[in-house]
mmCIF file of all heavy atoms in Angstrom:
data_model
loop_
_atom_site.group_PDB
_atom_site.id
_atom_site.type_symbol
_atom_site.label_atom_id
_atom_site.label_comp_id
_atom_site.label_asym_id
_atom_site.label_seq_id
_atom_site.Cartn_x
_atom_site.Cartn_y
_atom_site.Cartn_z
ATOM 1 N N LEU K 1 43.036 -35.144 71.017
ATOM 2 C CA LEU K 1 43.591 -34.651 69.758
ATOM 3 C C LEU K 1 42.517 -34.572 68.674
ATOM 4 O O LEU K 1 42.463 -33.597 67.908
ATOM 5 C CB LEU K 1 44.723 -35.572 69.280
ATOM 6 C CG LEU K 1 46.078 -35.418 69.958
ATOM 7 C CD1 LEU K 1 47.061 -36.450 69.409
ATOM 8 C CD2 LEU K 1 46.638 -34.019 69.769
ATOM 9 N N THR K 2 41.644 -35.559 68.631
ATOM 10 C CA THR K 2 40.583 -35.560 67.619
ATOM 11 C C THR K 2 39.579 -34.446 67.872
ATOM 12 O O THR K 2 39.113 -33.793 66.928
ATOM 13 C CB THR K 2 39.880 -36.925 67.601
ATOM 14 O OG1 THR K 2 40.836 -37.960 67.339
ATOM 15 C CG2 THR K 2 38.804 -36.962 66.537
ATOM 16 N N VAL K 3 39.221 -34.219 69.129
ATOM 17 C CA VAL K 3 38.281 -33.134 69.459
ATOM 18 C C VAL K 3 38.857 -31.781 69.038
ATOM 19 O O VAL K 3 38.157 -30.949 68.449
ATOM 20 C CB VAL K 3 37.950 -33.156 70.960
ATOM 21 C CG1 VAL K 3 37.170 -31.912 71.353
ATOM 22 C CG2 VAL K 3 37.154 -34.407 71.323
ATOM 23 N N LEU K 4 40.125 -31.559 69.335
ATOM 24 C CA LEU K 4 40.765 -30.308 68.928
ATOM 25 C C LEU K 4 40.849 -30.207 67.413
ATOM 26 O O LEU K 4 40.630 -29.133 66.829
ATOM 27 C CB LEU K 4 42.164 -30.218 69.550
ATOM 28 C CG LEU K 4 42.194 -29.980 71.063
ATOM 29 C CD1 LEU K 4 43.624 -30.112 71.595
ATOM 30 C CD2 LEU K 4 41.630 -28.613 71.413
ATOM 31 N N ALA K 5 41.174 -31.334 66.760
ATOM 32 C CA ALA K 5 41.245 -31.332 65.299
ATOM 33 C C ALA K 5 39.878 -31.038 64.686
ATOM 34 O O ALA K 5 39.772 -30.277 63.710
ATOM 35 C CB ALA K 5 41.769 -32.681 64.797
ATOM 36 N N ASP K 6 38.825 -31.627 65.244
ATOM 37 C CA ASP K 6 37.466 -31.342 64.748
ATOM 38 C C ASP K 6 37.113 -29.861 64.901
ATOM 39 O O ASP K 6 36.583 -29.236 63.968
ATOM 40 C CB ASP K 6 36.442 -32.178 65.525
ATOM 41 C CG ASP K 6 36.536 -33.650 65.209
ATOM 42 O OD1 ASP K 6 37.160 -34.002 64.197
ATOM 43 O OD2 ASP K 6 35.986 -34.460 65.984
ATOM 44 N N SER K 7 37.427 -29.307 66.068
ATOM 45 C CA SER K 7 37.087 -27.900 66.328
ATOM 46 C C SER K 7 37.816 -26.965 65.369
ATOM 47 O O SER K 7 37.210 -26.077 64.754
ATOM 48 C CB SER K 7 37.436 -27.545 67.781
ATOM 49 O OG SER K 7 36.773 -28.401 68.683
ATOM 50 N N VAL K 8 39.122 -27.174 65.249
ATOM 51 C CA VAL K 8 39.909 -26.327 64.357
ATOM 52 C C VAL K 8 39.510 -26.551 62.904
ATOM 53 O O VAL K 8 39.452 -25.610 62.096
ATOM 54 C CB VAL K 8 41.404 -26.583 64.562
ATOM 55 C CG1 VAL K 8 42.232 -25.797 63.551
ATOM 56 C CG2 VAL K 8 41.821 -26.209 65.981
ATOM 57 N N GLY K 9 39.204 -27.802 62.543
ATOM 58 C CA GLY K 9 38.799 -28.102 61.169
ATOM 59 C C GLY K 9 37.499 -27.405 60.796
ATOM 60 O O GLY K 9 37.356 -26.892 59.676
ATOM 61 N N ILE K 10 36.533 -27.398 61.719
ATOM 62 C CA ILE K 10 35.265 -26.714 61.447
ATOM 63 C C ILE K 10 35.479 -25.216 61.295
ATOM 64 O O ILE K 10 34.908 -24.568 60.403
ATOM 65 C CB ILE K 10 34.257 -27.010 62.575
ATOM 66 C CG1 ILE K 10 33.808 -28.473 62.495
ATOM 67 C CG2 ILE K 10 33.050 -26.080 62.489
ATOM 68 C CD1 ILE K 10 32.937 -28.904 63.642
ATOM 69 N N ILE K 11 36.327 -24.639 62.144
ATOM 70 C CA ILE K 11 36.615 -23.208 62.036
ATOM 71 C C ILE K 11 37.311 -22.904 60.714
ATOM 72 O O ILE K 11 36.999 -21.914 60.039
ATOM 73 C CB ILE K 11 37.475 -22.747 63.229
ATOM 74 C CG1 ILE K 11 36.665 -22.853 64.524
ATOM 75 C CG2 ILE K 11 37.967 -21.314 63.032
ATOM 76 C CD1 ILE K 11 37.465 -22.588 65.773
ATOM 77 N N ALA K 12 38.249 -23.757 60.315
ATOM 78 C CA ALA K 12 38.945 -23.557 59.036
ATOM 79 C C ALA K 12 37.975 -23.684 57.867
ATOM 80 O O ALA K 12 38.039 -22.906 56.901
ATOM 81 C CB ALA K 12 40.087 -24.561 58.903
ATOM 82 N N GLY K 13 37.063 -24.667 57.951
ATOM 83 C CA GLY K 13 36.051 -24.806 56.891
ATOM 84 C C GLY K 13 35.121 -23.617 56.837
ATOM 85 O O GLY K 13 34.734 -23.161 55.747
ATOM 86 N N TRP K 14 34.737 -23.102 58.001
ATOM 87 C CA TRP K 14 33.899 -21.882 58.049
ATOM 88 C C TRP K 14 34.615 -20.702 57.421
ATOM 89 O O TRP K 14 34.027 -19.945 56.640
ATOM 90 C CB TRP K 14 33.551 -21.577 59.503
ATOM 91 C CG TRP K 14 33.093 -20.163 59.740
ATOM 92 C CD1 TRP K 14 31.858 -19.650 59.496
ATOM 93 C CD2 TRP K 14 33.888 -19.089 60.245
ATOM 94 N NE1 TRP K 14 31.815 -18.311 59.816
ATOM 95 C CE2 TRP K 14 33.071 -17.940 60.285
ATOM 96 C CE3 TRP K 14 35.209 -18.978 60.667
ATOM 97 C CZ2 TRP K 14 33.537 -16.710 60.729
ATOM 98 C CZ3 TRP K 14 35.671 -17.763 61.113
ATOM 99 C CH2 TRP K 14 34.839 -16.647 61.146
ATOM 100 N N PHE K 15 35.890 -20.538 57.737
ATOM 101 C CA PHE K 15 36.661 -19.421 57.177
ATOM 102 C C PHE K 15 36.721 -19.507 55.653
ATOM 103 O O PHE K 15 36.513 -18.500 54.957
ATOM 104 C CB PHE K 15 38.082 -19.426 57.754
ATOM 105 C CG PHE K 15 38.984 -18.395 57.154
ATOM 106 C CD1 PHE K 15 38.927 -17.073 57.556
ATOM 107 C CD2 PHE K 15 39.906 -18.744 56.166
ATOM 108 C CE1 PHE K 15 39.752 -16.114 56.982
ATOM 109 C CE2 PHE K 15 40.741 -17.810 55.604
ATOM 110 C CZ PHE K 15 40.660 -16.480 56.005
ATOM 111 N N ALA K 16 36.998 -20.716 55.126
ATOM 112 C CA ALA K 16 37.067 -20.880 53.671
ATOM 113 C C ALA K 16 35.706 -20.640 53.021
ATOM 114 O O ALA K 16 35.624 -20.024 51.953
ATOM 115 C CB ALA K 16 37.580 -22.285 53.336
ATOM 116 N N ALA K 17 34.644 -21.113 53.671
ATOM 117 C CA ALA K 17 33.309 -20.938 53.097
ATOM 118 C C ALA K 17 32.910 -19.473 53.043
ATOM 119 O O ALA K 17 32.339 -19.003 52.056
ATOM 120 C CB ALA K 17 32.294 -21.737 53.925
ATOM 121 N N VAL K 18 33.196 -18.720 54.102
ATOM 122 C CA VAL K 18 32.832 -17.306 54.145
ATOM 123 C C VAL K 18 33.749 -16.467 53.275
ATOM 124 O O VAL K 18 33.298 -15.559 52.556
ATOM 125 C CB VAL K 18 32.848 -16.808 55.614
ATOM 126 C CG1 VAL K 18 32.621 -15.305 55.678
ATOM 127 C CG2 VAL K 18 31.804 -17.539 56.441
ATOM 128 N N ARG K 19 35.037 -16.783 53.306
ATOM 129 C CA ARG K 19 36.021 -15.943 52.619
ATOM 130 C C ARG K 19 36.029 -16.168 51.114
ATOM 131 O O ARG K 19 36.116 -15.212 50.335
ATOM 132 C CB ARG K 19 37.423 -16.238 53.200
ATOM 133 C CG ARG K 19 38.558 -15.471 52.534
ATOM 134 C CD ARG K 19 38.451 -13.973 52.815
ATOM 135 N NE ARG K 19 39.553 -13.249 52.228
ATOM 136 C CZ ARG K 19 39.656 -12.887 50.953
ATOM 137 N NH1 ARG K 19 38.657 -13.179 50.123
ATOM 138 N NH2 ARG K 19 40.697 -12.216 50.503
ATOM 139 N N TRP K 20 35.934 -17.425 50.661
ATOM 140 C CA TRP K 20 36.114 -17.716 49.234
ATOM 141 C C TRP K 20 34.850 -18.191 48.530
ATOM 142 O O TRP K 20 34.756 -18.082 47.310
ATOM 143 C CB TRP K 20 37.204 -18.766 49.053
ATOM 144 C CG TRP K 20 38.562 -18.267 49.441
ATOM 145 C CD1 TRP K 20 39.186 -17.145 48.982
ATOM 146 C CD2 TRP K 20 39.459 -18.864 50.385
ATOM 147 N NE1 TRP K 20 40.415 -17.006 49.565
ATOM 148 C CE2 TRP K 20 40.620 -18.046 50.434
ATOM 149 C CE3 TRP K 20 39.406 -19.988 51.184
ATOM 150 C CZ2 TRP K 20 41.700 -18.340 51.257
ATOM 151 C CZ3 TRP K 20 40.486 -20.289 52.001
ATOM 152 C CH2 TRP K 20 41.619 -19.469 52.038
ATOM 153 N N ILE K 21 33.892 -18.735 49.276
ATOM 154 C CA ILE K 21 32.672 -19.247 48.632
ATOM 155 C C ILE K 21 31.534 -18.241 48.740
ATOM 156 O O ILE K 21 30.578 -18.294 47.959
ATOM 157 C CB ILE K 21 32.261 -20.601 49.259
ATOM 158 C CG1 ILE K 21 33.451 -21.570 49.270
ATOM 159 C CG2 ILE K 21 31.118 -21.243 48.493
ATOM 160 C CD1 ILE K 21 34.000 -21.865 47.904
ATOM 161 N N GLY K 22 31.619 -17.321 49.674
ATOM 162 C CA GLY K 22 30.575 -16.315 49.825
ATOM 163 C C GLY K 22 29.373 -16.782 50.628
ATOM 164 O O GLY K 22 28.271 -16.244 50.484
ATOM 165 N N VAL K 23 29.560 -17.784 51.477
ATOM 166 C CA VAL K 23 28.475 -18.276 52.327
ATOM 167 C C VAL K 23 28.313 -17.328 53.507
ATOM 168 O O VAL K 23 29.298 -16.891 54.112
ATOM 169 C CB VAL K 23 28.763 -19.713 52.820
ATOM 170 C CG1 VAL K 23 27.673 -20.187 53.772
ATOM 171 C CG2 VAL K 23 28.885 -20.652 51.629
ATOM 172 N N ASP K 24 27.062 -17.028 53.857
ATOM 173 C CA ASP K 24 26.806 -16.175 55.012
ATOM 174 C C ASP K 24 27.227 -16.898 56.287
ATOM 175 O O ASP K 24 26.918 -18.091 56.484
ATOM 176 C CB ASP K 24 25.321 -15.824 55.076
ATOM 177 C CG ASP K 24 25.011 -14.892 56.233
ATOM 178 O OD1 ASP K 24 25.294 -13.689 56.122
ATOM 179 O OD2 ASP K 24 24.500 -15.397 57.258
ATOM 180 N N SER K 25 27.952 -16.200 57.144
ATOM 181 C CA SER K 25 28.501 -16.821 58.350
ATOM 182 C C SER K 25 27.405 -17.393 59.250
ATOM 183 O O SER K 25 27.516 -18.516 59.757
ATOM 184 C CB SER K 25 29.330 -15.794 59.130
ATOM 185 O OG SER K 25 29.824 -16.348 60.327
ATOM 186 N N GLU K 26 26.330 -16.640 59.450
ATOM 187 C CA GLU K 26 25.266 -17.107 60.338
ATOM 188 C C GLU K 26 24.570 -18.336 59.775
ATOM 189 O O GLU K 26 24.276 -19.285 60.514
ATOM 190 C CB GLU K 26 24.248 -15.986 60.547
ATOM 191 C CG GLU K 26 23.166 -16.342 61.542
ATOM 192 C CD GLU K 26 22.218 -15.187 61.812
ATOM 193 O OE1 GLU K 26 22.478 -14.082 61.273
ATOM 194 O OE2 GLU K 26 21.233 -15.378 62.536
ATOM 195 N N PHE K 27 24.344 -18.361 58.461
ATOM 196 C CA PHE K 27 23.711 -19.514 57.843
ATOM 197 C C PHE K 27 24.614 -20.755 57.934
ATOM 198 O O PHE K 27 24.134 -21.873 58.071
ATOM 199 C CB PHE K 27 23.371 -19.226 56.373
ATOM 200 C CG PHE K 27 22.051 -18.534 56.201
ATOM 201 C CD1 PHE K 27 21.986 -17.240 55.716
ATOM 202 C CD2 PHE K 27 20.862 -19.168 56.528
ATOM 203 C CE1 PHE K 27 20.775 -16.589 55.558
ATOM 204 C CE2 PHE K 27 19.648 -18.542 56.374
ATOM 205 C CZ PHE K 27 19.597 -17.251 55.890
ATOM 206 N N PHE K 28 25.921 -20.547 57.839
ATOM 207 C CA PHE K 28 26.864 -21.668 57.954
ATOM 208 C C PHE K 28 26.706 -22.348 59.310
ATOM 209 O O PHE K 28 26.578 -23.570 59.401
ATOM 210 C CB PHE K 28 28.296 -21.173 57.766
ATOM 211 C CG PHE K 28 29.337 -22.261 57.865
ATOM 212 C CD1 PHE K 28 29.756 -22.937 56.731
ATOM 213 C CD2 PHE K 28 29.898 -22.615 59.094
ATOM 214 C CE1 PHE K 28 30.708 -23.952 56.827
ATOM 215 C CE2 PHE K 28 30.842 -23.616 59.196
ATOM 216 C CZ PHE K 28 31.253 -24.280 58.052
ATOM 217 N N TRP K 29 26.699 -21.560 60.391
ATOM 218 C CA TRP K 29 26.615 -22.150 61.729
ATOM 219 C C TRP K 29 25.241 -22.725 62.005
ATOM 220 O O TRP K 29 25.114 -23.759 62.686
ATOM 221 C CB TRP K 29 26.981 -21.094 62.775
ATOM 222 C CG TRP K 29 28.412 -20.687 62.713
ATOM 223 C CD1 TRP K 29 28.911 -19.471 62.326
ATOM 224 C CD2 TRP K 29 29.551 -21.493 63.025
ATOM 225 N NE1 TRP K 29 30.278 -19.466 62.379
ATOM 226 C CE2 TRP K 29 30.709 -20.701 62.813
ATOM 227 C CE3 TRP K 29 29.709 -22.795 63.470
ATOM 228 C CZ2 TRP K 29 31.979 -21.181 63.020
ATOM 229 C CZ3 TRP K 29 30.980 -23.294 63.679
ATOM 230 C CH2 TRP K 29 32.112 -22.486 63.462
ATOM 231 N N LEU K 30 24.174 -22.089 61.485
ATOM 232 C CA LEU K 30 22.835 -22.636 61.658
ATOM 233 C C LEU K 30 22.690 -23.980 60.935
ATOM 234 O O LEU K 30 22.092 -24.924 61.460
ATOM 235 C CB LEU K 30 21.789 -21.648 61.135
ATOM 236 C CG LEU K 30 21.553 -20.396 61.981
ATOM 237 C CD1 LEU K 30 20.604 -19.444 61.275
ATOM 238 C CD2 LEU K 30 20.992 -20.773 63.356
ATOM 239 N N SER K 31 23.259 -24.052 59.735
ATOM 240 C CA SER K 31 23.210 -25.296 58.975
ATOM 241 C C SER K 31 24.000 -26.396 59.674
ATOM 242 O O SER K 31 23.570 -27.548 59.744
ATOM 243 C CB SER K 31 23.762 -25.057 57.570
ATOM 244 O OG SER K 31 23.829 -26.266 56.844
ATOM 245 N N LEU K 32 25.176 -26.030 60.202
ATOM 246 C CA LEU K 32 26.010 -27.008 60.898
ATOM 247 C C LEU K 32 25.298 -27.535 62.148
ATOM 248 O O LEU K 32 25.257 -28.745 62.397
ATOM 249 C CB LEU K 32 27.341 -26.374 61.266
ATOM 250 C CG LEU K 32 28.398 -27.280 61.884
ATOM 251 C CD1 LEU K 32 29.790 -26.858 61.435
ATOM 252 C CD2 LEU K 32 28.351 -27.240 63.419
ATOM 253 N N ARG K 33 24.731 -26.631 62.919
ATOM 254 C CA ARG K 33 24.076 -27.042 64.168
ATOM 255 C C ARG K 33 22.833 -27.878 63.888
ATOM 256 O O ARG K 33 22.538 -28.835 64.610
ATOM 257 C CB ARG K 33 23.709 -25.807 64.983
ATOM 258 C CG ARG K 33 23.161 -26.139 66.368
ATOM 259 C CD ARG K 33 22.916 -24.871 67.159
ATOM 260 N NE ARG K 33 21.914 -24.016 66.497
ATOM 261 C CZ ARG K 33 21.529 -22.832 66.956
ATOM 262 N NH1 ARG K 33 22.100 -22.338 68.048
ATOM 263 N NH2 ARG K 33 20.635 -22.118 66.308
#
């Protein structure tokens, strides 16, 4: 349950960052990794 929650949470955070904050999608994933 936690692994699934982490995965979905990261995707939701990525969506909010790209959609409302204007963060570049590729930079978001590079920074996360």
Side-chain angles (χ1 to χ4, degrees):
L1 282 177
T2 302
V3 171
L4 289 172
D6 290 344
S7 303
V8 175
I10 290 174
I11 294 173
W14 161 79
F15 175 79
V18 174
R19 178 67 178 81
W20 293 306
I21 309 300
V23 177
D24 182 77
S25 178
E26 185 176 355
F27 275 114
F28 180 91
W29 293 111
L30 288 174
S31 175
L32 186 145
R33 186 176 62 182

